[in-house]
Every structure is written in C-alpha cells, then in structure tokens.
Amino acid sequence: MSNDSITIKKPFDAHVHFRRGAMLRAVAPISAQKFSAAIVMPNTDPPIETIEQAAEYKKEILAAFPAGNTFNPLMTFYLTKNLKPEEIEKGLSNGVYAVKYYPYGATTNSQWGFRDILEAKELLSEMERAGMPLLLHGEVHVDESENEVDPYQGEKQFIESVFPRLLEQYSDLKISLEHLSTKIAAEFLEKNGETGKLVATVTPHHLLYAREDVEDKPLLRCKPLIKSASDREKVRGLVAEGLPFLSAGTDSAPHPESKKFASPAAFGVFNSPVAIELYTQVFDELNALDKLEEFLSINGPRFFGIEPSKETITLVKNDWQVTEPVVTDEGVNVWPIAHKEHGLGNETIHWQIAI
Ligand code: NCD
Ligand code: ZN
C-alpha cells in the first residue's frame, strides 16, 4: 500500500439487488467483474420464498455472466407470510444464506413484508434455531396507530422501539442491520456490535452524501433516506474505527430511467459501477485505507461463513467521471450515482480500479 495505490482481496458485497430479466443481464455482470461474491436480495416480483425459487433465480444470475467468471451469488429468502419454516431449515444447506426483512410499504417491493417484524414469531424462532441470519431493513414505516412515520425518523424509531425487543426475544439470532444511515444506529452498533452475532452493512452513498445535497436528486433517492451531515459523520467515524462487525453492502438497487426520473422517483440507487471506488475514496479521506480490506473483503464473508476471495484487485488514485448510463439489451438506460450530469453535478471520483 502506498498513498496512491492499494491492493486488496477481491471485495464482497453483502447487499445487492440484481432484479430479473433484461435489468439483471445488464447489472449483474458489473458486480461479477468487480466483486468476488454477493448476498443477493430477494425483493423481486414475485419474491423469493422457496429453495426452488432461489435456485432458479441463482441459475438466471449465473447465466448472465461471461464464461469463466467465478462470482458467487449467495441467495436469500424474503421474510413474508408465505415463507415456511421448513424452507428456512433446509435453506442453509441449499445455497440460501439469510432471510431479509422489509417493513411493509417502506421501499421497493415491500408490499409482502410484515408491518412489524415481531409478528413473524415462528419464522424468527426457526431462524434462531437453525442459525440462519436475519438481514434487517431497520425502519419503522407505520407506527402502532397505523400512522405513517416521518421517513427521516424511521430508522431512529426502529433502533429505539423495535430493535431492543427483537434482540431480547431472540437472543441467539444472528442479525445484520443493513445500510446504517443515522447517528443513533451507528452508536447502537458501536456499543452492541459483535462479530458473528450482530453486524451491520454500510453503503457508499450513506458515507458520501448528506440530505441537503441530495433532496432534489432522483438518482440519490433511496431507503433509508440519506440523512444529515452529522449522521453521515458518525457513520464515517464508525467505519474508520475498523470494527470487525462492519462490512460493505452496496444496496445497489437499479431502476429503469422511466422510474428514476418519475415523480416521485423510485427508491433505490444504482451504484455497482462505482461502489468500490467510492468506498476507497471515503476511506482515503478518513485516513483509514489500512482498514479498507477488512471492510470490503473480509468481514462480510466471515459473517456468512465463506472464505474471502483468493483473487486481488488494485485501486489507484486517479480522477475520473461517469459519463454514460448502463443500457440494457432492451435499450433501457440505467443511471449510476456520481454520474456527471444526473448525480450531484460534475462529480469526480478519485480512485479507480486498475486493469
Ligand atoms: C431497494 C430496491 O429498490 O429494491 N431500494 C432502496 O431504496 N434501497 C429496496 C431496499 O433495499 O430498501
Ligand atoms: Zn436493499
């Protein structure tokens, strides 16, 4: 490692959305080129609720890669009322690595989620018994009186009013709190995080941007919403500590241009073409490049019980800009964040993967 070059094991993405069909064929190969493996989110339409569906989805993902690609897609189930405890039990030996909770109504394809995670008693008990990790979209969307919660307060409410009860009632459940976006969530993890037991993922966009910069930028509209600069500073401070229970989860969530430039814009940012580079930039800004490899390539695999990659990538300090969209084989544009025109405007990325 020098000040302008770093070689690390090939990264692991602990949270990615590939979709299906033409969108999958356009975006999955980008992840497969840059990452060694990823936890693939199950909020497709229809959702992934059985081993059979997960296997079929995995097949579609693998078919999208060029011959010889070794990327490992790790599948997940969606925590819905249709998910069966038997599938959870058998899942772990059938390529399913976790179950994902979405709060009903909070985000893209969350119509199948429970309103309150504590309603999913039988499923959570089975996961706890089987050792199947729970991935948490930790936001309260609708409160006990059925009122919609201010989306800027959803994560805070979850941490204050739901999370302690969940941890108390399922004390052996392995949990990953996804996409930390607030000071309160970062502080909670700092205090309670535990390798192999209670971990968290962080996105590039929650490390890089602040609410005041992105409120009118459709490409940066996502759940959880990007919060204030002081929230961001706390999340940045946490990753700079190099804690073993924090890992990269890009939450790359592509939508077609028609949905991103609609009003309101669909929730979800597409970042896989720039995620590793942006994480590196942030760690450089934090003088924490020595902590980058653990965060990007080691802590995630450790939680899910797989080996870190044996391949490496090298990043070099070099300014570049994103000037093009990704285009699907049906001719649909998909715009990555940090795009020169549609991101914040004239953004420059300071690190690049060397080829
Ligand atoms: C995700 C999507 O589009 O699937 N959107 C998002 O804003 N992050 C769903 C999710 O992870 O919330
Ligand atoms: Zn997501």
Side-chain angles (χ1 to χ4, degrees):
M1 189 176 102
S2 67
N3 284 341
D4 50 15
S5 162
I6 177 168
T7 297
I8 57 171
K9 291 186 200 304
K10 203 168 182 188
F12 177 91
D13 187 350
H15 184 141
V16 71
H17 300 265
F18 282 156
R19 318 301 190 200
R20 303 207 73 152
M23 182 65 90
L24 182 154
R25 292 192 295 278
V27 304
I30 299 171
S31 288
Q33 194 193 356
K34 299 191 151 200
F35 293 86
S36 60
I39 296 288
V40 180
M41 290 297 123
N43 64 332
T44 47
D45 183 2
I48 307 300
E49 299 165 309
T50 66
I51 290 169
E52 202 180 323
Q53 287 170 329
E56 188 206 347
Y57 187 24
K58 181 171 174 175
K59 223 166 129 183
E60 184 183 349
I61 295 167
L62 292 174
F65 302 151
N69 187 284
T70 56
F71 179 86
N72 189 7
L74 309 175
M75 309 312 290
T76 58
F77 286 145
Y78 194 137
L79 188 72
T80 70
K81 296 200 167 97
N82 296 326
L83 180 61
K84 301 228 161 33
E86 306 86 85
E87 299 288 312
I88 293 175
E89 188 189 358
K90 287 182 281 174
L92 278 174
S93 46
N94 283 279
V96 177
Y97 283 78
V99 177
K100 177 73 192 289
Y101 166 69
Y102 293 95
Y104 175 83
T107 185
T108 304
N109 287 346
S110 59
Q111 60 271 38
W112 300 290
F114 287 85
R115 265 168 207 268
D116 176 355
I117 184 150
L118 297 170
E119 289 168 35
K121 290 193 178 66
E122 200 192 352
L123 296 168
L124 293 172
S125 298
E126 179 55 25
M127 289 166 64
E128 185 178 36
R129 198 198 57 73
M132 173 72 89
L134 170 68
L135 311 181
L136 271 182
H137 186 120
E139 290 193 289
V140 175
H141 179 61
V142 180
D143 69 15
E144 278 149 19
S145 351
E146 301 283 304
N147 294 320
E148 259 192 46
V149 172
D150 171 357
Y152 284 103
Q153 299 299 319
E155 186 170 288
K156 179 169 186 285
Q157 279 217 12
F158 184 86
I159 297 290
E160 285 174 346
S161 66
V162 183
F163 208 17
R165 284 188 285 153
L166 178 72
L167 291 169
E168 192 185 297
Q169 290 174 28
Y170 303 92
S171 55
D172 289 330
L173 188 59
K174 292 183 191 174
I175 298 177
S176 176
L177 184 63
E178 300 295 289
H179 36 55
L180 293 188
S181 71
T182 53
K183 183 164 182 281
I184 187 166
E187 285 169 353
F188 191 92
L189 254 291
E190 191 172 36
K191 189 153 165 247
N192 301 293
E194 190 184 331
T195 311
K197 170 66 179 71
L198 175 55
V199 304
T201 62
V202 186
T203 74
H205 41 285
H206 291 102
L207 287 169
L208 207 62
Y209 300 113
R211 172 177 181 175
E212 38 280 29
D213 308 324
V214 303
E215 262 173 331
D216 60 344
K217 304 288 180 196
L219 290 194
L220 291 158
R221 184 172 151 87
C222 63
K223 280 302 198 77
L225 295 175
I226 291 175
K227 306 299 191 309
S228 68
S230 71
D231 286 299
R232 176 188 59 188
E233 290 322 301
K234 180 65 205 175
V235 179
R236 284 167 77 103
L238 195 69
V239 301
E241 287 181 44
L243 301 168
F245 46 81
L246 282 189
S247 73
T250 64
D251 199 11
S252 185
H255 290 278
E257 145 183 283
S258 58
K259 293 223 168 111
K260 277 315 272 180
F261 295 150
S263 190
F267 290 120
V269 305
F270 175 46
N271 64 25
S272 56
V274 293
I276 293 171
E277 294 85 342
L278 292 178
Y279 281 127
T280 307
Q281 177 172 319
V282 169
F283 275 70
D284 186 19
E285 285 165 8
L286 295 168
N287 279 322
L289 280 177
D290 59 328
K291 313 276 181 14
L292 183 70
E293 184 176 45
E294 296 245 313
F295 176 81
L296 275 179
S297 316
I298 294 173
N299 297 344
R302 187 196 296 122
F303 182 68
F304 292 101
I306 69 162
E307 287 295 311
S309 177
K310 295 197 168 49
E311 291 175 62
T312 59
I313 62 164
T314 296
L315 287 126
V316 291
K317 206 166 187 174
N318 191 25
D319 284 356
W320 64 290
Q321 291 190 306
V322 183
T323 55
E324 303 298 329
V326 168
V327 185
T328 71
D329 56 25
E330 292 176 345
V332 171
N333 290 336
V334 194
W335 298 90
I337 61 164
H339 182 270
K340 194 173 170 203
E341 279 144 50
H342 299 303
L344 293 195
N346 207 24
E347 276 170 86
T348 299
I349 301 178
H350 304 304
W351 284 80
Q352 198 162 34
I353 298 179
I355 17 169

